[in-house]
Amino acid sequence: MSINSIFQFLVPKDKKFFPLFEQATANLVLLAETLHEAVNAPKVEREEYYSKIEELEATIEEITHKTHLELSRNFITPFDREDIHSLIKAIDNVADYMHGAASRMRLYQVEKITKSIRKLTEINLEACQLINIGIKELKDMKDHKAIKETCKKINKLESKADSVFDKAVADIFENETDVKNIIKYKEVLSALESASDKCKSVSNVMEQISVKHS
């Protein structure tokens, strides 16, 4: 048995941080689902989805705040304090950028939703679902190979999002003549692509924690 394994055995079972991580990622999946539903709904129905996204983002922000409070109150943590901070912040960042994409569509009154926007919301939803799985695997800290595989899948999705984004931007500049529309779509696509980058950041933190405790 390694020193880390012995330490994990002696440390009391975490009742503070992982419940917060699980709440955050469950809400993150709901946010990603709502955004994907929004871009597949008629324009007249999207306001309800945008309002729900705003509520979910605020909920995740509150969970992030609670996590930071728990860090200041608790001496014993399930893993390094800086890793707890990095993980919850990375999850919060994903929510921020997906909320940012929804806010831009709402503010700019984007009527036509392109295939690229739909594809990026689909990719982000899949990545958020994998983050949720990864947090549960990290909680058990038994199958490090499974955590690595989950992180690998998230990283592949981020690469896929980059390709979709690059092609979408090229298409906009080639086919769109209205400057306002170019700005609108570029802003929305950028926020969605940034959300996928932040999913990769969550993946990197999860993998780092796993490696430290393997």
Side-chain angles (χ1 to χ4, degrees):
M1 185 180 282
S2 69
I3 292 172
N4 276 332
S5 298
I6 294 168
F7 180 73
Q8 285 297 312
F9 179 76
L10 293 173
V11 171
K13 191 170 177 64
D14 174 56
K15 294 180 181 179
K16 297 284 185 182
F17 294 100
F18 272 106
L20 288 168
F21 291 141
E22 288 171 337
Q23 286 172 36
T25 55
N27 279 282
L28 190 67
V29 171
L30 273 176
L31 199 161
E33 284 175 351
T34 307
L35 182 56
H36 189 53
E37 287 168 3
V39 301
N40 284 285
K43 186 175 183 289
V44 291
E45 296 176 15
R46 286 181 211 148
E47 183 57 36
E48 184 180 345
Y49 292 108
Y50 294 151
S51 296
K52 186 178 177 183
I53 288 166
E54 201 166 327
E55 289 171 10
L56 288 164
E57 193 273 336
T59 299
I60 294 167
E61 189 73 38
E62 180 59 29
I63 294 167
T64 301
H65 179 63
K66 284 181 182 177
T67 306
H68 290 146
L69 285 178
E70 290 300 336
L71 268 177
S72 64
R73 290 170 181 160
N74 290 271
F75 175 72
I76 297 174
T77 57
F79 45 85
D80 292 348
R81 305 175 76 83
E82 60 266 28
D83 288 333
I84 290 173
H85 171 78
S86 296
L87 184 54
I88 197 65
K89 183 60 182 171
I91 292 168
D92 189 39
N93 284 340
V94 178
D96 284 345
Y97 278 99
M98 286 195 294
H99 173 246
S103 295
R104 284 164 177 78
M105 286 187 277
R106 188 186 207 177
L107 182 64
Y108 302 153
Q109 298 182 353
V110 174
E111 187 165 350
K112 183 185 175 184
I113 301 294
T114 64
K115 287 181 181 179
S116 299
I117 290 173
R118 289 194 182 97
K119 189 61 183 174
L120 285 171
T121 61
E122 183 185 323
I123 290 169
N124 283 334
L125 171 55
E126 190 176 345
C128 289
Q129 289 168 337
L130 286 167
I131 287 170
N132 195 32
I133 291 167
I135 288 295
K136 290 171 184 174
E137 291 169 343
L138 205 61
K139 182 181 180 180
D140 293 334
M141 205 69 82
K142 292 176 183 176
D143 193 344
H144 296 282
K145 187 178 178 181
I147 296 169
K148 187 176 180 180
E149 282 303 308
T150 299
C151 292
K152 191 176 178 180
K153 288 177 185 176
I154 295 169
N155 293 346
K156 281 185 178 179
L157 286 169
E158 190 270 338
S159 295
K160 190 176 179 181
D162 283 346
S163 297
V164 173
F165 172 77
D166 289 342
K167 187 178 183 301
V169 172
D171 287 345
I172 289 169
F173 284 113
E174 185 177 347
N175 301 312
E176 184 58 65
T177 55
D178 188 323
V179 176
K180 287 182 181 178
N181 281 336
I182 291 173
I183 294 169
K184 282 181 185 181
Y185 286 115
K186 179 70 164 52
E187 286 275 317
V188 173
L189 288 164
S190 293
L192 290 171
E193 192 271 338
S194 294
S196 73
D197 284 345
K198 299 306 175 184
C199 287
K200 184 178 179 179
S201 296
V202 177
S203 163
N204 290 341
V205 177
M206 290 195 297
E207 192 164 15
Q208 286 165 15
I209 294 166
S210 175
V211 168
K212 284 182 182 179
H213 292 267
S214 62

mmCIF file with all atom_site columns, all heavy atoms in Angstrom, residues 45-68:
data_model
loop_
_atom_site.group_PDB
_atom_site.id
_atom_site.type_symbol
_atom_site.label_atom_id
_atom_site.label_alt_id
_atom_site.label_comp_id
_atom_site.label_asym_id
_atom_site.label_entity_id
_atom_site.label_seq_id
_atom_site.pdbx_PDB_ins_code
_atom_site.Cartn_x
_atom_site.Cartn_y
_atom_site.Cartn_z
_atom_site.occupancy
_atom_site.B_iso_or_equiv
_atom_site.pdbx_formal_charge
_atom_site.auth_seq_id
_atom_site.auth_comp_id
_atom_site.auth_asym_id
_atom_site.auth_atom_id
_atom_site.pdbx_PDB_model_num
ATOM 1   N N   . GLU A 1 45 ? -39.725 30.675 -28.295 1.00 0.00 ? 45 GLU A N   1
ATOM 2   C CA  . GLU A 1 45 ? -39.708 29.835 -27.088 1.00 0.00 ? 45 GLU A CA  1
ATOM 3   C C   . GLU A 1 45 ? -38.387 29.925 -26.322 1.00 0.00 ? 45 GLU A C   1
ATOM 4   O O   . GLU A 1 45 ? -38.266 29.379 -25.220 1.00 0.00 ? 45 GLU A O   1
ATOM 5   C CB  . GLU A 1 45 ? -39.964 28.370 -27.474 1.00 0.00 ? 45 GLU A CB  1
ATOM 6   C CG  . GLU A 1 45 ? -41.349 28.121 -28.064 1.00 0.00 ? 45 GLU A CG  1
ATOM 7   C CD  . GLU A 1 45 ? -41.526 26.682 -28.530 1.00 0.00 ? 45 GLU A CD  1
ATOM 8   O OE1 . GLU A 1 45 ? -40.688 25.824 -28.143 1.00 0.00 ? 45 GLU A OE1 1
ATOM 9   O OE2 . GLU A 1 45 ? -42.488 26.408 -29.265 1.00 0.00 ? 45 GLU A OE2 1
ATOM 10  N N   . ARG A 1 46 ? -37.408 30.627 -26.875 1.00 0.00 ? 46 ARG A N   1
ATOM 11  C CA  . ARG A 1 46 ? -36.059 30.591 -26.289 1.00 0.00 ? 46 ARG A CA  1
ATOM 12  C C   . ARG A 1 46 ? -35.917 31.374 -24.989 1.00 0.00 ? 46 ARG A C   1
ATOM 13  O O   . ARG A 1 46 ? -35.070 31.061 -24.163 1.00 0.00 ? 46 ARG A O   1
ATOM 14  C CB  . ARG A 1 46 ? -35.031 31.125 -27.308 1.00 0.00 ? 46 ARG A CB  1
ATOM 15  C CG  . ARG A 1 46 ? -34.747 30.147 -28.421 1.00 0.00 ? 46 ARG A CG  1
ATOM 16  C CD  . ARG A 1 46 ? -33.723 30.678 -29.410 1.00 0.00 ? 46 ARG A CD  1
ATOM 17  N NE  . ARG A 1 46 ? -33.978 30.152 -30.741 1.00 0.00 ? 46 ARG A NE  1
ATOM 18  C CZ  . ARG A 1 46 ? -33.725 30.787 -31.866 1.00 0.00 ? 46 ARG A CZ  1
ATOM 19  N NH1 . ARG A 1 46 ? -33.216 32.013 -31.826 1.00 0.00 ? 46 ARG A NH1 1
ATOM 20  N NH2 . ARG A 1 46 ? -33.995 30.231 -33.025 1.00 0.00 ? 46 ARG A NH2 1
ATOM 21  N N   . GLU A 1 47 ? -36.742 32.387 -24.778 1.00 0.00 ? 47 GLU A N   1
ATOM 22  C CA  . GLU A 1 47 ? -36.622 33.222 -23.589 1.00 0.00 ? 47 GLU A CA  1
ATOM 23  C C   . GLU A 1 47 ? -36.715 32.402 -22.302 1.00 0.00 ? 47 GLU A C   1
ATOM 24  O O   . GLU A 1 47 ? -35.970 32.644 -21.338 1.00 0.00 ? 47 GLU A O   1
ATOM 25  C CB  . GLU A 1 47 ? -37.695 34.318 -23.603 1.00 0.00 ? 47 GLU A CB  1
ATOM 26  C CG  . GLU A 1 47 ? -37.624 35.297 -22.435 1.00 0.00 ? 47 GLU A CG  1
ATOM 27  C CD  . GLU A 1 47 ? -36.280 36.000 -22.306 1.00 0.00 ? 47 GLU A CD  1
ATOM 28  O OE1 . GLU A 1 47 ? -35.660 36.319 -23.331 1.00 0.00 ? 47 GLU A OE1 1
ATOM 29  O OE2 . GLU A 1 47 ? -35.856 36.216 -21.150 1.00 0.00 ? 47 GLU A OE2 1
ATOM 30  N N   . GLU A 1 48 ? -37.622 31.440 -22.286 1.00 0.00 ? 48 GLU A N   1
ATOM 31  C CA  . GLU A 1 48 ? -37.793 30.583 -21.106 1.00 0.00 ? 48 GLU A CA  1
ATOM 32  C C   . GLU A 1 48 ? -36.495 29.824 -20.808 1.00 0.00 ? 48 GLU A C   1
ATOM 33  O O   . GLU A 1 48 ? -36.085 29.683 -19.654 1.00 0.00 ? 48 GLU A O   1
ATOM 34  C CB  . GLU A 1 48 ? -38.937 29.594 -21.345 1.00 0.00 ? 48 GLU A CB  1
ATOM 35  C CG  . GLU A 1 48 ? -39.255 28.716 -20.151 1.00 0.00 ? 48 GLU A CG  1
ATOM 36  C CD  . GLU A 1 48 ? -40.394 27.740 -20.432 1.00 0.00 ? 48 GLU A CD  1
ATOM 37  O OE1 . GLU A 1 48 ? -41.115 27.933 -21.429 1.00 0.00 ? 48 GLU A OE1 1
ATOM 38  O OE2 . GLU A 1 48 ? -40.546 26.780 -19.650 1.00 0.00 ? 48 GLU A OE2 1
ATOM 39  N N   . TYR A 1 49 ? -35.842 29.331 -21.865 1.00 0.00 ? 49 TYR A N   1
ATOM 40  C CA  . TYR A 1 49 ? -34.581 28.606 -21.699 1.00 0.00 ? 49 TYR A CA  1
ATOM 41  C C   . TYR A 1 49 ? -33.470 29.540 -21.214 1.00 0.00 ? 49 TYR A C   1
ATOM 42  O O   . TYR A 1 49 ? -32.683 29.163 -20.337 1.00 0.00 ? 49 TYR A O   1
ATOM 43  C CB  . TYR A 1 49 ? -34.167 27.968 -23.028 1.00 0.00 ? 49 TYR A CB  1
ATOM 44  C CG  . TYR A 1 49 ? -35.064 26.839 -23.484 1.00 0.00 ? 49 TYR A CG  1
ATOM 45  C CD1 . TYR A 1 49 ? -35.940 27.006 -24.555 1.00 0.00 ? 49 TYR A CD1 1
ATOM 46  C CD2 . TYR A 1 49 ? -35.031 25.593 -22.854 1.00 0.00 ? 49 TYR A CD2 1
ATOM 47  C CE1 . TYR A 1 49 ? -36.758 25.963 -24.989 1.00 0.00 ? 49 TYR A CE1 1
ATOM 48  C CE2 . TYR A 1 49 ? -35.848 24.549 -23.275 1.00 0.00 ? 49 TYR A CE2 1
ATOM 49  C CZ  . TYR A 1 49 ? -36.706 24.745 -24.346 1.00 0.00 ? 49 TYR A CZ  1
ATOM 50  O OH  . TYR A 1 49 ? -37.518 23.716 -24.765 1.00 0.00 ? 49 TYR A OH  1
ATOM 51  N N   . TYR A 1 50 ? -33.413 30.746 -21.771 1.00 0.00 ? 50 TYR A N   1
ATOM 52  C CA  . TYR A 1 50 ? -32.387 31.711 -21.363 1.00 0.00 ? 50 TYR A CA  1
ATOM 53  C C   . TYR A 1 50 ? -32.522 32.064 -19.883 1.00 0.00 ? 50 TYR A C   1
ATOM 54  O O   . TYR A 1 50 ? -31.514 32.203 -19.179 1.00 0.00 ? 50 TYR A O   1
ATOM 55  C CB  . TYR A 1 50 ? -32.483 32.990 -22.207 1.00 0.00 ? 50 TYR A CB  1
ATOM 56  C CG  . TYR A 1 50 ? -32.164 32.814 -23.683 1.00 0.00 ? 50 TYR A CG  1
ATOM 57  C CD1 . TYR A 1 50 ? -32.745 33.631 -24.648 1.00 0.00 ? 50 TYR A CD1 1
ATOM 58  C CD2 . TYR A 1 50 ? -31.269 31.827 -24.112 1.00 0.00 ? 50 TYR A CD2 1
ATOM 59  C CE1 . TYR A 1 50 ? -32.450 33.480 -26.004 1.00 0.00 ? 50 TYR A CE1 1
ATOM 60  C CE2 . TYR A 1 50 ? -30.978 31.667 -25.465 1.00 0.00 ? 50 TYR A CE2 1
ATOM 61  C CZ  . TYR A 1 50 ? -31.569 32.496 -26.403 1.00 0.00 ? 50 TYR A CZ  1
ATOM 62  O OH  . TYR A 1 50 ? -31.277 32.349 -27.735 1.00 0.00 ? 50 TYR A OH  1
ATOM 63  N N   . SER A 1 51 ? -33.754 32.211 -19.420 1.00 0.00 ? 51 SER A N   1
ATOM 64  C CA  . SER A 1 51 ? -33.994 32.531 -18.003 1.00 0.00 ? 51 SER A CA  1
ATOM 65  C C   . SER A 1 51 ? -33.535 31.389 -17.097 1.00 0.00 ? 51 SER A C   1
ATOM 66  O O   . SER A 1 51 ? -32.924 31.614 -16.041 1.00 0.00 ? 51 SER A O   1
ATOM 67  C CB  . SER A 1 51 ? -35.483 32.803 -17.767 1.00 0.00 ? 51 SER A CB  1
ATOM 68  O OG  . SER A 1 51 ? -35.889 33.945 -18.479 1.00 0.00 ? 51 SER A OG  1
ATOM 69  N N   . LYS A 1 52 ? -33.804 30.155 -17.539 1.00 0.00 ? 52 LYS A N   1
ATOM 70  C CA  . LYS A 1 52 ? -33.385 28.983 -16.758 1.00 0.00 ? 52 LYS A CA  1
ATOM 71  C C   . LYS A 1 52 ? -31.862 28.895 -16.705 1.00 0.00 ? 52 LYS A C   1
ATOM 72  O O   . LYS A 1 52 ? -31.278 28.564 -15.662 1.00 0.00 ? 52 LYS A O   1
ATOM 73  C CB  . LYS A 1 52 ? -33.971 27.709 -17.376 1.00 0.00 ? 52 LYS A CB  1
ATOM 74  C CG  . LYS A 1 52 ? -33.702 26.450 -16.543 1.00 0.00 ? 52 LYS A CG  1
ATOM 75  C CD  . LYS A 1 52 ? -34.354 25.228 -17.166 1.00 0.00 ? 52 LYS A CD  1
ATOM 76  C CE  . LYS A 1 52 ? -34.015 23.966 -16.363 1.00 0.00 ? 52 LYS A CE  1
ATOM 77  N NZ  . LYS A 1 52 ? -34.592 22.744 -16.987 1.00 0.00 ? 52 LYS A NZ  1
ATOM 78  N N   . ILE A 1 53 ? -31.196 29.188 -17.816 1.00 0.00 ? 53 ILE A N   1
ATOM 79  C CA  . ILE A 1 53 ? -29.731 29.171 -17.870 1.00 0.00 ? 53 ILE A CA  1
ATOM 80  C C   . ILE A 1 53 ? -29.152 30.184 -16.886 1.00 0.00 ? 53 ILE A C   1
ATOM 81  O O   . ILE A 1 53 ? -28.181 29.897 -16.175 1.00 0.00 ? 53 ILE A O   1
ATOM 82  C CB  . ILE A 1 53 ? -29.238 29.464 -19.311 1.00 0.00 ? 53 ILE A CB  1
ATOM 83  C CG1 . ILE A 1 53 ? -29.511 28.253 -20.211 1.00 0.00 ? 53 ILE A CG1 1
ATOM 84  C CG2 . ILE A 1 53 ? -27.750 29.825 -19.333 1.00 0.00 ? 53 ILE A CG2 1
ATOM 85  C CD1 . ILE A 1 53 ? -29.388 28.526 -21.689 1.00 0.00 ? 53 ILE A CD1 1
ATOM 86  N N   . GLU A 1 54 ? -29.771 31.345 -16.821 1.00 0.00 ? 54 GLU A N   1
ATOM 87  C CA  . GLU A 1 54 ? -29.323 32.391 -15.888 1.00 0.00 ? 54 GLU A CA  1
ATOM 88  C C   . GLU A 1 54 ? -29.436 31.909 -14.440 1.00 0.00 ? 54 GLU A C   1
ATOM 89  O O   . GLU A 1 54 ? -28.529 32.130 -13.628 1.00 0.00 ? 54 GLU A O   1
ATOM 90  C CB  . GLU A 1 54 ? -30.183 33.645 -16.090 1.00 0.00 ? 54 GLU A CB  1
ATOM 91  C CG  . GLU A 1 54 ? -29.524 34.902 -15.586 1.00 0.00 ? 54 GLU A CG  1
ATOM 92  C CD  . GLU A 1 54 ? -30.205 36.173 -16.092 1.00 0.00 ? 54 GLU A CD  1
ATOM 93  O OE1 . GLU A 1 54 ? -30.720 36.180 -17.221 1.00 0.00 ? 54 GLU A OE1 1
ATOM 94  O OE2 . GLU A 1 54 ? -30.218 37.132 -15.327 1.00 0.00 ? 54 GLU A OE2 1
ATOM 95  N N   . GLU A 1 55 ? -30.526 31.239 -14.125 1.00 0.00 ? 55 GLU A N   1
ATOM 96  C CA  . GLU A 1 55 ? -30.735 30.704 -12.770 1.00 0.00 ? 55 GLU A CA  1
ATOM 97  C C   . GLU A 1 55 ? -29.705 29.631 -12.431 1.00 0.00 ? 55 GLU A C   1
ATOM 98  O O   . GLU A 1 55 ? -29.157 29.600 -11.325 1.00 0.00 ? 55 GLU A O   1
ATOM 99  C CB  . GLU A 1 55 ? -32.145 30.120 -12.658 1.00 0.00 ? 55 GLU A CB  1
ATOM 100 C CG  . GLU A 1 55 ? -33.255 31.160 -12.661 1.00 0.00 ? 55 GLU A CG  1
ATOM 101 C CD  . GLU A 1 55 ? -34.645 30.538 -12.771 1.00 0.00 ? 55 GLU A CD  1
ATOM 102 O OE1 . GLU A 1 55 ? -34.742 29.294 -12.650 1.00 0.00 ? 55 GLU A OE1 1
ATOM 103 O OE2 . GLU A 1 55 ? -35.619 31.289 -12.974 1.00 0.00 ? 55 GLU A OE2 1
ATOM 104 N N   . LEU A 1 56 ? -29.447 28.751 -13.393 1.00 0.00 ? 56 LEU A N   1
ATOM 105 C CA  . LEU A 1 56 ? -28.492 27.663 -13.167 1.00 0.00 ? 56 LEU A CA  1
ATOM 106 C C   . LEU A 1 56 ? -27.069 28.193 -12.993 1.00 0.00 ? 56 LEU A C   1
ATOM 107 O O   . LEU A 1 56 ? -26.324 27.706 -12.140 1.00 0.00 ? 56 LEU A O   1
ATOM 108 C CB  . LEU A 1 56 ? -28.550 26.664 -14.329 1.00 0.00 ? 56 LEU A CB  1
ATOM 109 C CG  . LEU A 1 56 ? -29.803 25.786 -14.387 1.00 0.00 ? 56 LEU A CG  1
ATOM 110 C CD1 . LEU A 1 56 ? -29.946 25.129 -15.761 1.00 0.00 ? 56 LEU A CD1 1
ATOM 111 C CD2 . LEU A 1 56 ? -29.768 24.723 -13.286 1.00 0.00 ? 56 LEU A CD2 1
ATOM 112 N N   . GLU A 1 57 ? -26.715 29.193 -13.767 1.00 0.00 ? 57 GLU A N   1
ATOM 113 C CA  . GLU A 1 57 ? -25.386 29.790 -13.636 1.00 0.00 ? 57 GLU A CA  1
ATOM 114 C C   . GLU A 1 57 ? -25.224 30.435 -12.260 1.00 0.00 ? 57 GLU A C   1
ATOM 115 O O   . GLU A 1 57 ? -24.169 30.320 -11.628 1.00 0.00 ? 57 GLU A O   1
ATOM 116 C CB  . GLU A 1 57 ? -25.177 30.831 -14.745 1.00 0.00 ? 57 GLU A CB  1
ATOM 117 C CG  . GLU A 1 57 ? -23.737 31.304 -14.909 1.00 0.00 ? 57 GLU A CG  1
ATOM 118 C CD  . GLU A 1 57 ? -23.377 32.469 -14.000 1.00 0.00 ? 57 GLU A CD  1
ATOM 119 O OE1 . GLU A 1 57 ? -24.300 33.194 -13.581 1.00 0.00 ? 57 GLU A OE1 1
ATOM 120 O OE2 . GLU A 1 57 ? -22.182 32.654 -13.701 1.00 0.00 ? 57 GLU A OE2 1
ATOM 121 N N   . ALA A 1 58 ? -26.280 31.091 -11.780 1.00 0.00 ? 58 ALA A N   1
ATOM 122 C CA  . ALA A 1 58 ? -26.256 31.711 -10.450 1.00 0.00 ? 58 ALA A CA  1
ATOM 123 C C   . ALA A 1 58 ? -26.132 30.651 -9.358  1.00 0.00 ? 58 ALA A C   1
ATOM 124 O O   . ALA A 1 58 ? -25.433 30.858 -8.349  1.00 0.00 ? 58 ALA A O   1
ATOM 125 C CB  . ALA A 1 58 ? -27.518 32.545 -10.236 1.00 0.00 ? 58 ALA A CB  1
ATOM 126 N N   . THR A 1 59 ? -26.785 29.511 -9.546  1.00 0.00 ? 59 THR A N   1
ATOM 127 C CA  . THR A 1 59 ? -26.703 28.398 -8.590  1.00 0.00 ? 59 THR A CA  1
ATOM 128 C C   . THR A 1 59 ? -25.276 27.866 -8.507  1.00 0.00 ? 59 THR A C   1
ATOM 129 O O   . THR A 1 59 ? -24.750 27.634 -7.408  1.00 0.00 ? 59 THR A O   1
ATOM 130 C CB  . THR A 1 59 ? -27.655 27.255 -9.007  1.00 0.00 ? 59 THR A CB  1
ATOM 131 O OG1 . THR A 1 59 ? -28.991 27.745 -9.013  1.00 0.00 ? 59 THR A OG1 1
ATOM 132 C CG2 . THR A 1 59 ? -27.553 26.072 -8.048  1.00 0.00 ? 59 THR A CG2 1
ATOM 133 N N   . ILE A 1 60 ? -24.630 27.695 -9.662  1.00 0.00 ? 60 ILE A N   1
ATOM 134 C CA  . ILE A 1 60 ? -23.248 27.202 -9.691  1.00 0.00 ? 60 ILE A CA  1
ATOM 135 C C   . ILE A 1 60 ? -22.309 28.222 -9.053  1.00 0.00 ? 60 ILE A C   1
ATOM 136 O O   . ILE A 1 60 ? -21.372 27.854 -8.332  1.00 0.00 ? 60 ILE A O   1
ATOM 137 C CB  . ILE A 1 60 ? -22.832 26.866 -11.142 1.00 0.00 ? 60 ILE A CB  1
ATOM 138 C CG1 . ILE A 1 60 ? -23.661 25.681 -11.657 1.00 0.00 ? 60 ILE A CG1 1
ATOM 139 C CG2 . ILE A 1 60 ? -21.336 26.526 -11.217 1.00 0.00 ? 60 ILE A CG2 1
ATOM 140 C CD1 . ILE A 1 60 ? -23.571 25.444 -13.147 1.00 0.00 ? 60 ILE A CD1 1
ATOM 141 N N   . GLU A 1 61 ? -22.570 29.479 -9.288  1.00 0.00 ? 61 GLU A N   1
ATOM 142 C CA  . GLU A 1 61 ? -21.775 30.553 -8.668  1.00 0.00 ? 61 GLU A CA  1
ATOM 143 C C   . GLU A 1 61 ? -21.881 30.485 -7.147  1.00 0.00 ? 61 GLU A C   1
ATOM 144 O O   . GLU A 1 61 ? -20.878 30.657 -6.428  1.00 0.00 ? 61 GLU A O   1
ATOM 145 C CB  . GLU A 1 61 ? -22.288 31.910 -9.165  1.00 0.00 ? 61 GLU A CB  1
ATOM 146 C CG  . GLU A 1 61 ? -21.441 33.096 -8.787  1.00 0.00 ? 61 GLU A CG  1
ATOM 147 C CD  . GLU A 1 61 ? -20.149 33.197 -9.559  1.00 0.00 ? 61 GLU A CD  1
ATOM 148 O OE1 . GLU A 1 61 ? -20.135 32.894 -10.764 1.00 0.00 ? 61 GLU A OE1 1
ATOM 149 O OE2 . GLU A 1 61 ? -19.136 33.569 -8.928  1.00 0.00 ? 61 GLU A OE2 1
ATOM 150 N N   . GLU A 1 62 ? -23.071 30.218 -6.649  1.00 0.00 ? 62 GLU A N   1
ATOM 151 C CA  . GLU A 1 62 ? -23.289 30.103 -5.205  1.00 0.00 ? 62 GLU A CA  1
ATOM 152 C C   . GLU A 1 62 ? -22.575 28.871 -4.636  1.00 0.00 ? 62 GLU A C   1
ATOM 153 O O   . GLU A 1 62 ? -21.994 28.926 -3.542  1.00 0.00 ? 62 GLU A O   1
ATOM 154 C CB  . GLU A 1 62 ? -24.798 30.022 -4.914  1.00 0.00 ? 62 GLU A CB  1
ATOM 155 C CG  . GLU A 1 62 ? -25.166 29.902 -3.443  1.00 0.00 ? 62 GLU A CG  1
ATOM 156 C CD  . GLU A 1 62 ? -24.670 31.053 -2.574  1.00 0.00 ? 62 GLU A CD  1
ATOM 157 O OE1 . GLU A 1 62 ? -24.539 32.184 -3.093  1.00 0.00 ? 62 GLU A OE1 1
ATOM 158 O OE2 . GLU A 1 62 ? -24.403 30.818 -1.386  1.00 0.00 ? 62 GLU A OE2 1
ATOM 159 N N   . ILE A 1 63 ? -22.594 27.766 -5.366  1.00 0.00 ? 63 ILE A N   1
ATOM 160 C CA  . ILE A 1 63 ? -21.888 26.545 -4.935  1.00 0.00 ? 63 ILE A CA  1
ATOM 161 C C   . ILE A 1 63 ? -20.384 26.803 -4.886  1.00 0.00 ? 63 ILE A C   1
ATOM 162 O O   . ILE A 1 63 ? -19.690 26.351 -3.970  1.00 0.00 ? 63 ILE A O   1
ATOM 163 C CB  . ILE A 1 63 ? -22.217 25.362 -5.872  1.00 0.00 ? 63 ILE A CB  1
ATOM 164 C CG1 . ILE A 1 63 ? -23.697 24.986 -5.746  1.00 0.00 ? 63 ILE A CG1 1
ATOM 165 C CG2 . ILE A 1 63 ? -21.339 24.144 -5.544  1.00 0.00 ? 63 ILE A CG2 1
ATOM 166 C CD1 . ILE A 1 63 ? -24.200 24.058 -6.839  1.00 0.00 ? 63 ILE A CD1 1
ATOM 167 N N   . THR A 1 64 ? -19.881 27.544 -5.855  1.00 0.00 ? 64 THR A N   1
ATOM 168 C CA  . THR A 1 64 ? -18.456 27.920 -5.883  1.00 0.00 ? 64 THR A CA  1
ATOM 169 C C   . THR A 1 64 ? -18.113 28.736 -4.636  1.00 0.00 ? 64 THR A C   1
ATOM 170 O O   . THR A 1 64 ? -17.084 28.497 -3.984  1.00 0.00 ? 64 THR A O   1
ATOM 171 C CB  . THR A 1 64 ? -18.141 28.740 -7.154  1.00 0.00 ? 64 THR A CB  1
ATOM 172 O OG1 . THR A 1 64 ? -18.469 27.960 -8.296  1.00 0.00 ? 64 THR A OG1 1
ATOM 173 C CG2 . THR A 1 64 ? -16.665 29.134 -7.207  1.00 0.00 ? 64 THR A CG2 1
ATOM 174 N N   . HIS A 1 65 ? -18.986 29.679 -4.293  1.00 0.00 ? 65 HIS A N   1
ATOM 175 C CA  . HIS A 1 65 ? -18.784 30.515 -3.101  1.00 0.00 ? 65 HIS A CA  1
ATOM 176 C C   . HIS A 1 65 ? -18.792 29.651 -1.829  1.00 0.00 ? 65 HIS A C   1
ATOM 177 O O   . HIS A 1 65 ? -17.926 29.825 -0.949  1.00 0.00 ? 65 HIS A O   1
ATOM 178 C CB  . HIS A 1 65 ? -19.885 31.567 -3.032  1.00 0.00 ? 65 HIS A CB  1
ATOM 179 C CG  . HIS A 1 65 ? -19.805 32.470 -1.844  1.00 0.00 ? 65 HIS A CG  1
ATOM 180 N ND1 . HIS A 1 65 ? -18.745 33.322 -1.619  1.00 0.00 ? 65 HIS A ND1 1
ATOM 181 C CD2 . HIS A 1 65 ? -20.649 32.633 -0.786  1.00 0.00 ? 65 HIS A CD2 1
ATOM 182 C CE1 . HIS A 1 65 ? -18.930 33.972 -0.488  1.00 0.00 ? 65 HIS A CE1 1
ATOM 183 N NE2 . HIS A 1 65 ? -20.078 33.572 0.041   1.00 0.00 ? 65 HIS A NE2 1
ATOM 184 N N   . LYS A 1 66 ? -19.721 28.708 -1.743  1.00 0.00 ? 66 LYS A N   1
ATOM 185 C CA  . LYS A 1 66 ? -19.799 27.808 -0.577  1.00 0.00 ? 66 LYS A CA  1
ATOM 186 C C   . LYS A 1 66 ? -18.529 26.971 -0.450  1.00 0.00 ? 66 LYS A C   1
ATOM 187 O O   . LYS A 1 66 ? -18.035 26.721 0.654   1.00 0.00 ? 66 LYS A O   1
ATOM 188 C CB  . LYS A 1 66 ? -21.017 26.884 -0.711  1.00 0.00 ? 66 LYS A CB  1
ATOM 189 C CG  . LYS A 1 66 ? -22.344 27.544 -0.426  1.00 0.00 ? 66 LYS A CG  1
ATOM 190 C CD  . LYS A 1 66 ? -23.481 26.538 -0.569  1.00 0.00 ? 66 LYS A CD  1
ATOM 191 C CE  . LYS A 1 66 ? -24.840 27.196 -0.340  1.00 0.00 ? 66 LYS A CE  1
ATOM 192 N NZ  . LYS A 1 66 ? -25.958 26.229 -0.562  1.00 0.00 ? 66 LYS A NZ  1
ATOM 193 N N   . THR A 1 67 ? -18.010 26.522 -1.594  1.00 0.00 ? 67 THR A N   1
ATOM 194 C CA  . THR A 1 67 ? -16.787 25.711 -1.589  1.00 0.00 ? 67 THR A CA  1
ATOM 195 C C   . THR A 1 67 ? -15.616 26.507 -1.032  1.00 0.00 ? 67 THR A C   1
ATOM 196 O O   . THR A 1 67 ? -14.826 25.997 -0.225  1.00 0.00 ? 67 THR A O   1
ATOM 197 C CB  . THR A 1 67 ? -16.457 25.213 -3.016  1.00 0.00 ? 67 THR A CB  1
ATOM 198 O OG1 . THR A 1 67 ? -17.595 24.533 -3.550  1.00 0.00 ? 67 THR A OG1 1
ATOM 199 C CG2 . THR A 1 67 ? -15.263 24.268 -3.007  1.00 0.00 ? 67 THR A CG2 1
ATOM 200 N N   . HIS A 1 68 ? -15.508 27.761 -1.438  1.00 0.00 ? 68 HIS A N   1
ATOM 201 C CA  . HIS A 1 68 ? -14.433 28.613 -0.926  1.00 0.00 ? 68 HIS A CA  1
ATOM 202 C C   . HIS A 1 68 ? -14.593 28.858 0.581   1.00 0.00 ? 68 HIS A C   1
ATOM 203 O O   . HIS A 1 68 ? -13.599 28.902 1.321   1.00 0.00 ? 68 HIS A O   1
ATOM 204 C CB  . HIS A 1 68 ? -14.406 29.941 -1.680  1.00 0.00 ? 68 HIS A CB  1
ATOM 205 C CG  . HIS A 1 68 ? -13.942 29.802 -3.096  1.00 0.00 ? 68 HIS A CG  1
ATOM 206 N ND1 . HIS A 1 68 ? -14.429 30.571 -4.132  1.00 0.00 ? 68 HIS A ND1 1
ATOM 207 C CD2 . HIS A 1 68 ? -13.035 28.966 -3.652  1.00 0.00 ? 68 HIS A CD2 1
ATOM 208 C CE1 . HIS A 1 68 ? -13.830 30.218 -5.255  1.00 0.00 ? 68 HIS A CE1 1
ATOM 209 N NE2 . HIS A 1 68 ? -12.988 29.244 -4.994  1.00 0.00 ? 68 HIS A NE2 1
#
